Amino acid sequence: MPSRKVFVAVACFVILSVLISSVLQLGKARPDLLEKLVPSTATRKQHDTEKGGDEVAGHPSAKDISWLADLDVKYPIKYAERDVVVRPKPGLRRESLTKIHEALFPPVNELVGVNGSRLELPACQPPIILDVPVYPTTPVDASNMMFGMATTLERLGDSRQVLRRWLTHTGAKMFVVVIQAGEGNAPKSEQLEAMESALRDQGMDVTLVTPLSEGESYTESYFSLVKIMYTHRANVTTWFAVMDDDTFFPSMQSLQAMLKRYEPDEEYWIGAISDSWWSVGHYGMMAFGGAGIFLSRALTAVLDKEYETCTTEMHAAAGGDERIMRCINGHTETKLTNEPALHQMDIWGDLSGVYESGRILLSLHHWKGRGYPVDLMNLVSDICGDCFLQRWQFGTGTVLSNGFSIAQYPEDEIAHGLDFSKAEMTWDSRTIQESVNPGTAHSMSPSRPRLELDKQKIQYRLVESAAVDGRGVRQTYIHKSKKDEETDTAEEMDTVLVLYWSREGEHAPTGCNSTHSI
């Protein structure tokens, strides 16, 4: 009957209303349980992508940290994460070290407990706000610059991801002389075309060319870049830069700022002598190619005019950068303008002291084969501009060298006057007997003695970084546990510290849930 149907409908409505009211009250009192009952949009998206280990919108690490599976960590682990929100501040200048009174993470012994397949975390701290200098959010216009390098096709392929970090969509042009690899065959034209297309598809204005002369050496090809670039110059081209295939420029903005101090229609030879005094003594007071050699339009015109003469005179030169030096010294009165922020990096061993020095590095060299993934290290600059390797000191003894490490120093080291304005001498370098310069005094001073790792300093090194939808840029820093040599077992757990970087107003950090699935 109609009256009975009405009664049933009303009863159902009342029951549904009570259920909804109960769920809403539960949500206020126990949001964790509500999440299990009514999965959020982020959770539903996470379930859709979890098998692939992808990050998801909302707060990805709250449910999915499957990306840890790709890292060489041994479970159980200690784990903590923190959101970092950067706030561009007009008029602010980057300092060598900025002190922040609050801690970066909770105490290590409170970070995590592991139970089976569950990684349990305490409640996360709210985001930490860091002020940074104002920076452009679009690529810098570098159409006034032209770069050149000589390398093999294989090594050029190895450099692609790193070139993308600073060359893409800047308007700068690059010419690459592709040389033959050892005794192998010269690359075919279709191989050159394929590589050139791949680079251009990634937003890099790169042109691949073959050597000017058949059978010319690497050194000759390197020097020929001066003529090749000047021949292909545009009216807007004011600076010509010669570099090695393992040269990295962390910031095109900073590079442009450096060059703006000089007049391109005057003869300028800008670069840096080697970080190693032995190399300076061996090769001379020249601009070393790995740090980048910058030639003004006026000086390049002279070198182009004298190219044939210099090619004949300099046949015995050891390197392409030496040929450039000899041609300049032999045919101009131009002297080297040394820019110490450019780095040849002719030092070896543990380079932590360089990367943790807080100094602005306009260029880095020898990144191939040394275990320093500069493209991943530099990824955070997409969020905070020229903040790569910028240092913040949190609390008393925690120092973040952005993109390289998080270092913790015992209180007694701080109490004994540890001077963070001095670079820690972790590196190795050649020395010259009977020289007052022990090796790097001219390039890395002031400096202080090396600290003993795990006793005077605990270092968490960056091992992974990625752009995460809805979250900004993730950085993963790890301290590996030591093994007991007798039992071949770990003395303690690996520690994983994760930072999520975002710009103010772009993402809304929501904090962590109490457990993480792994």
Side-chain angles (χ1 to χ4, degrees):
M1 293 185 300
S3 59
R4 184 173 181 178
K5 291 181 178 179
V6 171
F7 174 81
V8 172
V10 171
C12 290
F13 178 79
V14 171
I15 293 172
L16 182 61
S17 299
V18 171
L19 286 173
I20 292 174
S21 177
S22 299
V23 169
L24 291 175
Q25 292 299 320
L26 177 64
K28 294 179 180 179
R30 293 290 305 275
D32 56 327
L33 293 182
L34 178 61
E35 174 67 15
K36 294 178 181 179
L37 291 171
V38 188
S40 65
T41 301
T43 301
R44 292 195 297 271
K45 289 181 179 178
Q46 185 270 331
H47 284 310
D48 292 338
T49 60
E50 192 173 33
K51 290 183 179 180
D54 295 332
E55 297 287 358
V56 296
H59 197 290
S61 69
K63 295 296 179 184
D64 178 16
I65 54 172
S66 58
W67 47 272
L68 283 176
D70 296 328
L71 306 180
D72 183 25
V73 294
K74 307 296 182 185
Y75 290 95
I77 64 172
K78 296 178 181 179
Y79 178 96
E81 68 177 52
R82 188 81 184 269
D83 284 285
V84 180
V85 176
V86 298
R87 181 171 56 190
K89 187 174 181 179
L92 185 67
R93 296 185 62 183
R94 170 174 166 170
E95 301 292 339
S96 173
L97 181 69
T98 301
K99 295 186 177 181
I100 307 295
H101 294 298
E102 67 175 293
L104 181 57
F105 293 105
V108 171
N109 60 2
E110 297 179 7
L111 296 186
V112 66
V114 178
N115 180 16
S117 62
R118 304 293 289 177
L119 183 63
E120 300 175 358
L121 294 179
C124 287
Q125 293 175 296
I128 192 166
I129 309 296
L130 296 181
D131 291 330
V132 297
V134 175
Y135 54 89
T137 55
T138 56
V140 174
D141 180 10
S143 56
N144 65 321
M145 299 186 70
M146 186 177 290
F147 294 85
M149 72 163 71
T151 188
T152 65
L153 198 61
E154 181 180 4
R155 287 184 62 88
L156 178 59
D158 294 339
S159 302
R160 277 175 56 184
Q161 294 304 316
V162 172
L163 289 173
R164 286 183 64 185
R165 289 299 309 153
W166 59 270
L167 188 60
T168 298
H169 302 306
T170 61
K173 296 183 182 296
M174 174 179 282
F175 283 84
V176 180
V177 179
V178 180
I179 62 176
Q180 183 174 317
E183 300 298 325
N185 296 324
K188 299 178 180 179
S189 58
E190 53 266 30
Q191 292 177 301
L192 300 181
E193 292 171 4
M195 177 63 76
E196 183 175 287
S197 296
L199 292 165
R200 295 196 172 208
D201 287 345
Q202 293 177 324
M204 294 178 276
D205 190 351
V206 179
T207 301
L208 273 57
V209 298
T210 55
L212 292 183
S213 303
E214 185 176 352
E216 71 181 21
S217 66
Y218 167 76
T219 299
E220 292 168 332
S221 292
Y222 194 101
F223 183 64
S224 74
L225 287 164
V226 174
K227 171 164 279 298
I228 291 170
M229 289 192 294
Y230 193 74
T231 300
H232 292 89
R233 70 192 184 280
N235 291 334
V236 297
T237 308
T238 54
W239 292 99
F240 300 86
V242 185
M243 54 181 282
D244 290 359
D245 66 11
D246 55 351
T247 300
F248 175 59
F249 299 110
S251 170
M252 183 66 85
Q253 178 187 5
S254 295
L255 210 56
Q256 285 278 301
M258 180 268 288
L259 291 174
K260 283 181 180 178
R261 304 202 308 266
Y262 305 101
E263 173 53 57
D265 288 321
E266 297 179 7
E267 294 181 15
Y268 274 106
W269 173 32
I270 302 171
I273 61 175
S274 174
D275 311 76
S276 165
W277 194 240
W278 181 93
S279 295
V280 175
H282 191 76
Y283 297 106
M285 295 289 291
M286 68 176 185
F288 280 66
I293 303 171
F294 298 87
L295 308 171
S296 67
R297 176 168 53 194
L299 179 59
T300 310
V302 175
L303 299 183
D304 177 72
K305 179 181 178 181
E306 302 293 341
Y307 177 78
E308 297 300 335
T309 302
C310 290
T311 299
T312 303
E313 293 174 346
M314 313 305 170
H315 66 278
D321 44 10
E322 183 182 341
R323 282 180 177 247
I324 292 174
M325 175 189 69
R326 291 190 180 188
C327 191
I328 292 173
N329 288 344
H331 297 275
T332 78
E333 296 182 359
T334 304
K335 299 297 182 285
L336 174 65
T337 298
N338 187 62
E339 279 285 350
L342 299 168
H343 285 272
Q344 170 73 11
M345 301 294 280
D346 284 339
I347 51 181
W348 311 97
D350 180 6
L351 302 185
S352 296
V354 178
Y355 291 117
E356 294 176 343
S357 66
R359 300 169 189 177
I360 294 177
L361 308 180
L362 291 180
S363 66
L364 295 169
H365 184 219
H366 293 313
W367 58 264
K368 290 183 179 179
R370 288 194 179 185
Y372 298 106
V374 291
D375 54 331
L376 298 183
M377 291 164 58
N378 182 253
L379 189 61
V380 71
S381 64
D382 290 350
I383 301 296
C384 48
D386 285 345
C387 63
F388 174 56
L389 302 180
Q390 185 172 354
R391 295 187 303 176
W392 285 272
Q393 180 179 351
F394 297 90
T396 303
T398 300
V399 177
L400 166 68
S401 297
N402 195 9
F404 181 75
S405 72
I406 298 171
Q408 292 182 336
Y409 300 89
E411 290 185 5
D412 57 343
E413 289 295 328
I414 302 295
H416 283 85
L418 186 62
D419 190 348
F420 289 117
S421 69
K422 297 180 178 181
E424 182 187 353
M425 292 185 63
T426 61
W427 58 86
D428 300 320
S429 64
R430 289 181 173 180
T431 58
I432 301 178
Q433 293 183 351
E434 300 181 358
S435 172
V436 295
N437 186 339
T440 56
H442 67 293
S443 58
M444 294 306 301
S445 292
S447 60
R448 53 184 168 84
R450 182 198 309 251
L451 297 176
E452 185 177 356
L453 286 176
D454 295 328
K455 289 188 178 181
Q456 297 175 296
K457 168 185 173 183
I458 300 174
Q459 185 186 58
Y460 305 80
R461 287 277 294 272
L462 182 114
V463 298
E464 183 269 353
S465 187
V468 180
D469 288 341
R471 199 75 188 276
V473 167
R474 179 184 66 222
Q475 294 177 326
T476 305
Y477 298 86
I478 288 181
H479 175 266
K480 299 290 290 182
S481 63
K482 284 190 173 182
K483 281 190 175 182
D484 186 304
E485 295 182 359
E486 294 183 0
T487 63
D488 196 34
T489 58
E491 296 178 350
E492 57 183 17
M493 290 184 282
D494 292 345
T495 303
V496 180
L497 303 179
V498 180
L499 296 176
Y500 283 93
W501 292 76
S502 62
R503 298 188 189 98
E504 186 179 46
E506 289 198 1
H507 304 293
T510 58
C512 302
N513 289 351
S514 60
T515 60
H516 287 203
S517 298
I518 58 175

